[in-house]
């Protein structure tokens, strides 16, 4: 929802950003005539069907139908709410998002919640130097001051009301502490700090804002070892990765990212000169995690303990990754020696030693077949049949492409059984870009106006086509009014004015449809369409009046009918 962000600011923002730049920072684009194209980031395909128009400032996929402005792209690609997408775009061009209505913010504006979590982080940071126990632990784990500051590590002291006393000094702040998951409620309704006697790890979102915490005890006698924030309006653990923001800050062109199991493992690798590590947040790797990972880097290394639990976690990661392994993406698996973790290994072997382990990581294809065949006798016909039965449905989940074909070939080589794979339902059919679409005259006029909003500048009021009783006539007039009131408006800006209206999806589809011809020809066709609409309006009104008995006509209607019978429809004012 737009909330209280003024329409005029949305106009200015969409005029300042270039949708090609916005998308190209996230998806590699190739020039294709006047447009740019890529394989769609919203569905799996082999043939590019995703087009970006710098003229319309609009994207459209002819495969899955995804389309919209730069704001809509960020909302879909980065999974942001409307205000956050606007905020991120505004930051990229040095604009500050204004708010209408002072402090009366809409419900979706979580500014106060972000501010409270940041204040909580600062308070925990201030407590760290005051705890000899926490300081000794950091020293024991080899954490230097720069690392502590970079990850904003802190300390939650003993006691039940430290954060409450520091930040819960009024009913609104107590409400926010509860909403942020910073306090818990006892059986009798009493409030107390959720985190106590724990080293605190702030969890950041993709814009570097604190959205949650992980807390680690210092003694093995305490439990649980790690405690995370609960699910909140800002934090969904299945969609977030610890240290992803730090990784992106440290790597302008990230080629490889490593997934480890613990916060301290992440921090140890960063401190050792490998700022490519992230961790899931107390949960198995989810499909959302794998999509985030592959968007960050083409190569993903899943690093797990070599024990049974580690291998079970690795298989879950493989299962989540399969549907996202489009061509160009690769997954690897690194299993560590018993009793070791990335923290201990990188301290023993150094950066070079751990990098060598990463280079020797097992490709997904090798791990896939080895794991499926671990209890199968592939020298026997029955064993090979069992392997084929296990592998076929999994290979079928891979996106259509070269890797899927090669996995099917490998299965045939190992078992003699061909993986009969059907093309996934969402795979790209042969691309057929519409040259022209049959539509009503009103819809044609709207499509032409969306292609060339500047033509509205020369259409004068009153709009004579408004007398026509046809669906869409009033919408056409409203679009003209909007375009006339904002000279220089581009197509995406024009459509965004209707973002919260029921007509929005239809307008997006009309804008995404190909309107043939050069701009001059499109303008001519638009004015022809308006002239035809006016002519239809006159004919329609004439028929209405003539259908009445002359005795039933009022004096005004008789005069109107005489005028209609005598007029000759002329070109519209301002038509070139």
């Amino acid at each position: 929802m737009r909330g209280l962000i003024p329409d005029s600011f949305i106009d200015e923002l969409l005029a300042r950003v270039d949708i090609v730049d916005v998308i190209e920072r996230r998806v590699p684009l190739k020039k294709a005539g006047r447009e740019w194209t890529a394989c769609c980031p919203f569905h799996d395909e082999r043939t590019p069907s995703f087009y970006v128009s710098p003229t319309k400032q609009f994207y459209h996929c002819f495969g899955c139908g995804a389309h919209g402005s730069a704001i809509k792209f960020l909302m879909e690609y980065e999974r942001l709410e409307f205000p956050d997408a606007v905020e991120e775009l505004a930051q990229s061009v040095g604009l500050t998002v204004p708010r209408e209505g002072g402090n009366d913010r809409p419900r979706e504006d979580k500014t106060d919640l972000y501010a409270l979590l940041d204040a909580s982080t600062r308070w925990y940071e201030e407590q760290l130097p005051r705890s000899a126990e926490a300081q000794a632990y950091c020293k024991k784990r080899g954490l230097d001051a720069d690392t502590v500051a970079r990850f904003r590590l802190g300390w939650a002291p003993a006691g039940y009301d430290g954060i409450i006393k520091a930040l819960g000094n009024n009913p609104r702040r107590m409400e926010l502490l509860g909403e942020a998951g910073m306090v818990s409620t006892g059986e009798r309704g009493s409030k107390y700090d959720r985190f106590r006697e724990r080293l605190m790890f702030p969890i950041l979102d993709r814009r570097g804002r604190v959205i949650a915490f992980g807390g680690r005890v210092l003694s093995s006698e305490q439990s649980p070892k790690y405690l995370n924030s609960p699910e909140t309006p800002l934090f969904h653990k299945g969609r977030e990765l610890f240290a992803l923001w730090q990784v992106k800050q440290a790597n302008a062109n990230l080629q490889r990212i490593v997934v480890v199991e613990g916060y301290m493992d992440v921090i140890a690798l960063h401190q050792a000169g490998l700022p490519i590590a992230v961790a899931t947040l107390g949960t198995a790797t989810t499909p959302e995690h794998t999509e985030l990972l592959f968007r960050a880097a083409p190569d993903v290394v899943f690093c797990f303990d070599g024990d049974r639990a580690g291998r079970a976690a690795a298989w879950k990661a493989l299962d989540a990754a399969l549907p996202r392994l489009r061509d160009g993406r690769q997954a690897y698996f690194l299993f560590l020696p018993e009793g070791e973790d990335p923290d201990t290994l990188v301290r023993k072997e150094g950066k070079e030693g751990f990098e060598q382990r990463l280079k020797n990581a097992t490709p997904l294809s090798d791990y896939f077949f080895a794991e499926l065949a671990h209890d199968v006798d592939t020298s026997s016909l029955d064993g090979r049949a069992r392997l084929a039965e296990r592998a076929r449905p999994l290979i079928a989940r891979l996106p259509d492409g070269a890797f899927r074909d090669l996995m099917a070939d490998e299965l045939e080589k190992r078992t003699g059984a061909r993986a009969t794979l059907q093309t996934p339902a969402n795979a790209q059919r042969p691309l057929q870009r519409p040259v022209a679409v049959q539509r009503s005259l009103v819809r044609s006029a709207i499509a032409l106006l969306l292609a060339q909003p500047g033509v509205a500048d020369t259409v004068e009021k009153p709009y004579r086509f408004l007398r026509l009783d046809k669906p869409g006539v009033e919408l056409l007039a409203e679009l003209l009014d909007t375009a006339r009131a904002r000279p220089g408006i581009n197509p995406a800006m024009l459509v965004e004015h209707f973002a919260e209206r029921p007509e929005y999806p239809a307008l997006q589809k009309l804008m995404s449809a190909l309107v043939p011809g050069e701009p001059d020809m499109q303008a001519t066709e638009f004015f022809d369409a308006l002239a035809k609409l006016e002519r239809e309006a006159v004919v329609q009104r004439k028929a209405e009046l003539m259908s009445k008995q002359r005795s039933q006509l009022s004096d005004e209607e008789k005069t109107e009918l005489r005028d209609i019978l005598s007029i000759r429809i002329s070109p519209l004012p301002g038509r070139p």
Side-chain angles (χ1 to χ4, degrees), residues 449 454-465 480 484 526-527 530 572-575:
L449 176 59
V455 297
D457 297 344
T458 54
V459 180
E460 297 178 1
K461 299 184 79 170
Y463 306 136
R464 291 176 291 192
F465 61 82
L480 279 168
R484 280 165 52 85
F526 173 72
F527 287 115
L530 287 192
L572 287 173
R575 178 179 170 182

Side-chain angles (χ1 to χ4, degrees), residues 296-539:
D299 290 359
V300 177
V301 182
F302 294 99
C303 181
F304 295 102
D305 294 342
D307 59 13
R308 184 175 178 180
R311 290 193 170 270
W315 188 257
K316 287 180 180 177
L318 179 145
D319 188 63
L322 284 177
R324 283 152 184 83
L325 286 170
R326 298 198 294 267
D327 290 347
R329 293 176 169 185
Q330 297 184 76
Y332 300 85
F333 292 84
L334 173 59
F335 294 101
L336 303 179
E338 186 176 350
E340 299 284 7
D341 56 38
D343 181 15
T344 58
L345 278 175
V346 80
R347 284 200 273 171
K348 283 181 185 176
E349 302 175 351
K351 174 185 175 182
E352 293 75 16
F354 200 84
E355 277 189 320
Q356 189 58 47
R357 288 184 179 273
L358 292 175
K359 289 177 183 175
N360 295 334
T362 304
L364 178 140
S365 54
D366 290 350
Y367 171 59
F368 176 89
F369 286 109
E371 193 68 14
L372 289 180
H374 78 280
D375 61 348
V376 171
D377 177 11
T378 54
S379 65
S380 72
L381 185 64
D382 290 346
R384 292 195 297 274
R386 179 175 294 181
L387 174 58
E389 287 170 5
R390 290 177 178 179
R392 275 174 174 160
L394 295 170
I395 294 175
R397 294 178 59 215
L398 289 164
D400 186 31
F403 183 65
R404 186 170 183 251
D405 294 343
L406 289 170
M407 288 287 281
D409 291 344
E410 182 65 21
L411 177 63
E412 185 174 14
K413 188 187 303 181
R414 289 173 182 253
T415 66
R418 181 66 188 171
T420 51
L421 305 175
Q422 294 184 350
T423 301
N426 63 348
Q428 174 62 29
R429 299 182 184 93
L431 183 60
Q432 294 180 345
R433 298 192 68 193
V435 176
V437 180
Q438 291 294 322
R439 57 171 72 96
S440 72
L441 192 57
V442 178
R443 289 170 66 85
S444 292
I446 291 174
L448 288 160
L449 176 59
L450 293 177
Q452 296 288 328
V455 297
D457 297 344
T458 54
V459 180
E460 297 178 1
K461 299 184 79 170
Y463 306 136
R464 291 176 291 192
F465 61 82
L466 266 175
R467 292 182 295 183
L468 182 62
D469 183 17
K470 268 194 174 182
V473 165
E474 291 185 0
L475 177 59
L476 173 59
E478 193 173 352
L479 285 162
L480 279 168
D481 286 341
T482 304
R484 280 165 52 85
R486 293 164 175 81
I489 194 170
N490 67 42
M493 291 160 58
L494 181 54
V495 172
E496 279 300 325
H497 276 275
F498 295 79
E500 295 180 344
R501 296 268 297 273
E503 300 94 337
Y504 185 57
L507 289 174
Q508 286 193 311
K509 286 182 180 178
L510 280 175
M511 187 165 71
S512 65
L514 186 65
V515 179
E518 297 295 323
D520 288 347
M521 189 179 83
Q522 291 172 349
T524 299
E525 289 181 3
F526 173 72
F527 287 115
D528 284 344
L530 287 192
K532 289 175 183 176
L533 288 172
E534 181 190 344
R535 190 174 294 112
E536 285 187 11
V538 171
V539 171

Side-chain angles (χ1 to χ4, degrees), residues 121-158:
T121 305
R122 291 198 305 272
W123 188 77
Y124 289 135
E125 286 178 294
E126 291 166 2
Q127 305 313 305
L128 185 60
R130 299 174 186 173
S131 169
E133 185 184 16
Q135 288 286 300
Y137 180 83
C138 290
K139 185 176 182 181
K140 174 186 169 186
R141 299 300 296 260
L143 301 180
D144 59 34
D146 177 66
T147 299
V148 169
R150 187 164 16 123
F151 284 88
R152 301 191 68 183
L153 302 186
W155 173 249

Side-chain angles (χ1 to χ4, degrees), residues 74-372:
L74 275 192
M75 290 173 68
E76 295 295 324
Y77 189 85
E78 301 285 3
R79 299 186 182 184
L80 301 177
E81 295 297 323
F82 181 86
D84 290 333
V86 171
E87 187 79 44
E88 186 153 322
L89 275 182
Q91 284 187 358
S92 72
V93 291
L95 294 177
T96 302
V97 180
R99 299 277 180 180
E100 294 176 339
N103 291 325
D104 185 20
R105 298 190 187 93
R107 285 182 61 193
E108 71 270 17
D109 181 5
K110 300 298 182 182
T111 304
D112 289 345
L113 202 53
Y114 286 117
L116 179 121
L117 285 162
D118 190 67
S120 300
T121 305
R122 291 198 305 272
W123 188 77
Y124 289 135
E125 286 178 294
E126 291 166 2
Q127 305 313 305
L128 185 60
R130 299 174 186 173
S131 169
E133 185 184 16
Q135 288 286 300
Y137 180 83
C138 290
K139 185 176 182 181
K140 174 186 169 186
R141 299 300 296 260
L143 301 180
D144 59 34
D146 177 66
T147 299
V148 169
R150 187 164 16 123
F151 284 88
R152 301 191 68 183
L153 302 186
W155 173 249
Y160 285 85
D161 59 359
I163 202 78
I164 290 173
K165 282 183 177 177
L167 300 176
N169 46 21
N170 61 50
R172 172 59 179 158
R173 298 294 288 274
M174 280 301 298
E175 180 186 344
L176 288 169
L177 282 171
E179 194 175 354
M182 301 303 298
V183 298
S184 299
T185 304
E187 292 181 4
R188 297 182 180 179
S190 59
K191 304 288 184 182
Y192 59 92
D193 289 3
R194 177 179 178 84
F195 298 101
R196 305 180 304 280
E197 291 188 86
R198 290 178 180 271
L199 189 66
M200 298 298 288
F201 301 84
I203 298 164
L204 311 182
D205 67 7
R206 68 203 69 206
R207 290 173 54 193
R209 299 174 299 188
V210 180
I211 56 172
F213 291 93
R216 189 195 195 285
V217 296
L218 306 188
S219 167
S220 58
E221 298 173 2
Q222 298 169 282
S223 64
K225 181 178 178 182
Y226 281 103
L227 179 66
N228 287 328
S229 294
E231 299 276 310
T232 73
L234 302 182
F235 176 58
H236 305 280
K237 62 184 179 182
R239 303 178 195 167
E240 304 293 341
L241 292 163
F242 176 69
L244 182 60
W245 186 78
Q246 286 90 342
V247 167
K248 288 186 174 181
Q249 293 299 302
N251 300 273
N253 184 24
L254 188 65
Q255 294 300 309
R256 178 177 59 185
I257 194 166
V258 182
V259 187
V260 296
E261 295 188 78
Y263 299 152
M264 290 302 299
D265 295 323
V266 169
I267 291 173
L269 289 173
H270 280 247
Q271 184 171 283
L274 290 168
I276 56 174
V278 298
T280 57
L281 302 165
T283 182
T285 306
T286 66
E288 289 84 359
H289 287 145
T290 56
E291 186 60 32
L292 280 174
L293 291 163
F294 281 119
R295 285 178 182 177
D299 290 359
V300 177
V301 182
F302 294 99
C303 181
F304 295 102
D305 294 342
D307 59 13
R308 184 175 178 180
R311 290 193 170 270
W315 188 257
K316 287 180 180 177
L318 179 145
D319 188 63
L322 284 177
R324 283 152 184 83
L325 286 170
R326 298 198 294 267
D327 290 347
R329 293 176 169 185
Q330 297 184 76
Y332 300 85
F333 292 84
L334 173 59
F335 294 101
L336 303 179
E338 186 176 350
E340 299 284 7
D341 56 38
D343 181 15
T344 58
L345 278 175
V346 80
R347 284 200 273 171
K348 283 181 185 176
E349 302 175 351
K351 174 185 175 182
E352 293 75 16
F354 200 84
E355 277 189 320
Q356 189 58 47
R357 288 184 179 273
L358 292 175
K359 289 177 183 175
N360 295 334
T362 304
L364 178 140
S365 54
D366 290 350
Y367 171 59
F368 176 89
F369 286 109
E371 193 68 14
L372 289 180

